[in-house]
Amino acid sequence: MRASINKAHVSGAERLVDGWPLDRVLAELICRALSSHVMPDEICVTADPVDPASISYTKSLDVRTIDPSSHKEAYKISTKILRSSGVSAIAIERAFRLLLSGPSPDGNNMRGAIIMNALTGDRIEPDMRRGVRVSRIDYTGDARALLERGLKGHGVYHERVIDALAIATKVSDRDETLAELCWSDNPRYTTGYVASTASGYVRIMHMKENGALKGGRVFFVDYKSASIDQYIDYLERQPVIIDEIGHICGSENIRRRVKGIEACTPSTDAQKGRF
Ligand code: AMP
């Protein structure tokens, strides 16, 4: 689903469903478009078939939530995670600048993501207005229910996490991806995230100011290893279903960060992600 106003992106969502719940899911997607922060003047829902034999299955990234004391702290912690995932300082600075000012060349939000050379900060996506839209990703019913229960149980539930974690997991599963940075263009949702296989999916509160209308996603790639066409084809077309949920942690206050991280590394996966 994609919804827009005056051709500018308002909201979007993707699902991958097994036949029968299609009518319910289509209704949910339209409701989602209608409950966007502004009323769209165009809603487009597309459904197309997927060959079940082409689906790959994966486990979601571990989820943690950091509650920094300010935007400045949020920027610092994001930078630290991105640097430890191999992203250069120049690329990080460029990505933040783009998302703060509106990543499309006309200063608007994009429908899809920026693909950025993690070393030089150059943009690689072929269409800088549209970006690259990650699609054909979903959870099994059991995995979705487990995730919802886990997030609620740790007091970090937000409906946006479900879709965003799916996107981040699909993106991070590809070797070319070093890390991802995201915050929403919804002015009321100020929690962003940084994700990578090493760090997991790290939700970072206060990533942007309340009321700020700009947001987006940046996928940082190792350009040397990237066949960009194959990479984009995977993101847009490869069907991926999450059938296992990674570890979920409660919120960590930045002032207790070291302690929080110690308490939050029960699995070897998570241990890889210490920063
Ligand atoms: P959202 O978190 O849904 O507010 O999305 C924030 C930004 O991320 C949007 O403005 C788009 O630029 C980008 N985005 C949203 N969904 C996708 C997707 N499925 N694939 C790539 N980029 C996306």
Side-chain angles (χ1 to χ4, degrees):
M1 175 279 291
R2 61 191 160 84
S4 56
I5 184 161
N6 298 328
K7 306 284 176 211
H9 170 83
V10 172
S11 76
E14 344 280 329
R15 297 292 305 271
L16 194 55
V17 294
D18 184 8
W20 62 266
L22 188 59
D23 51 351
R24 182 175 50 77
V25 170
L26 290 177
E28 274 172 25
L29 291 173
I30 291 168
C31 281
R32 172 98 64 100
L34 293 173
S35 57
S36 308
H37 60 282
V38 284
M39 183 56 78
D41 61 14
E42 191 177 344
I43 299 170
C44 179
V45 182
T46 322
D48 45 21
V50 161
D51 174 5
S54 66
I55 298 174
S56 55
Y57 293 83
T58 192
K59 177 181 175 183
S60 63
L61 290 169
D62 294 345
V63 179
R64 57 199 308 181
T65 301
I66 296 183
D67 181 6
S69 53
S70 63
H71 304 304
K72 211 166 145 199
E73 285 290 355
Y75 175 77
K76 265 199 211 156
I77 191 85
S78 312
T79 301
K80 200 164 175 181
I81 302 168
L82 290 169
R83 292 288 286 138
S84 70
S85 306
V87 183
S88 73
I90 200 164
I92 296 169
E93 206 222 299
R94 179 119 201 259
F96 267 89
R97 222 172 336 110
L98 282 165
L99 296 197
L100 281 170
S101 59
S104 169
D106 56 14
N108 281 322
N109 294 313
M110 296 161 68
R111 261 181 61 207
I114 293 172
I115 301 182
M116 185 174 279
N117 181 326
L119 190 63
T120 63
D122 291 332
R123 290 175 74 160
I124 315 170
E125 75 280 11
D127 180 343
M128 290 192 201
R129 277 171 191 267
R130 177 186 180 275
V132 171
R133 202 146 170 106
V134 179
S135 194
R136 302 190 172 195
I137 174 79
D138 214 326
Y139 299 86
T140 60
D142 285 352
R144 183 177 280 267
L146 193 64
L147 175 61
E148 276 189 29
R149 269 208 309 280
L151 293 170
K152 284 178 181 161
H154 284 89
V156 290
Y157 177 80
H158 191 289
E159 59 183 3
R160 288 177 159 271
V161 178
I162 312 271
D163 284 358
L165 176 64
I167 293 173
T169 298
K170 183 174 182 187
V171 173
S172 71
D173 268 357
R174 243 342 245 214
D175 283 348
E176 295 92 332
T177 310
L178 295 184
E180 176 185 353
L181 169 70
C182 168
W183 66 82
S184 176
D185 45 57
N186 183 317
R188 291 189 295 269
Y189 190 61
T190 58
T191 301
Y193 70 83
V194 172
S196 72
T197 33
S199 67
Y201 174 92
V202 187
R203 303 178 66 223
I204 301 175
M205 298 168 83
H206 315 300
M207 193 79 124
K208 70 169 190 177
E209 304 230 13
N210 198 19
L213 290 159
K214 308 292 183 190
R217 280 184 158 78
V218 182
F219 305 153
F220 297 96
V221 298
D222 175 4
Y223 191 56
K224 288 193 303 298
S225 75
S227 154
I228 238 25
D229 291 346
Q230 278 174 21
Y231 183 63
I232 293 174
D233 189 63
Y234 162 83
L235 296 176
E236 293 188 336
R237 304 205 58 79
Q238 169 65 44
V240 175
I241 289 189
I242 295 170
D243 61 352
E244 213 183 321
I245 298 300
H247 185 75
I248 299 172
C249 301
S251 177
E252 301 158 40
N253 187 295
I254 191 74
R255 285 174 290 267
R256 290 185 277 109
R257 183 160 59 89
V258 175
K259 205 167 151 207
I261 284 167
E262 294 298 319
C264 216
T265 51
S267 71
T268 38
D269 277 0
Q271 273 165 11
K272 277 196 296 173
R274 286 186 191 200
F275 56 88

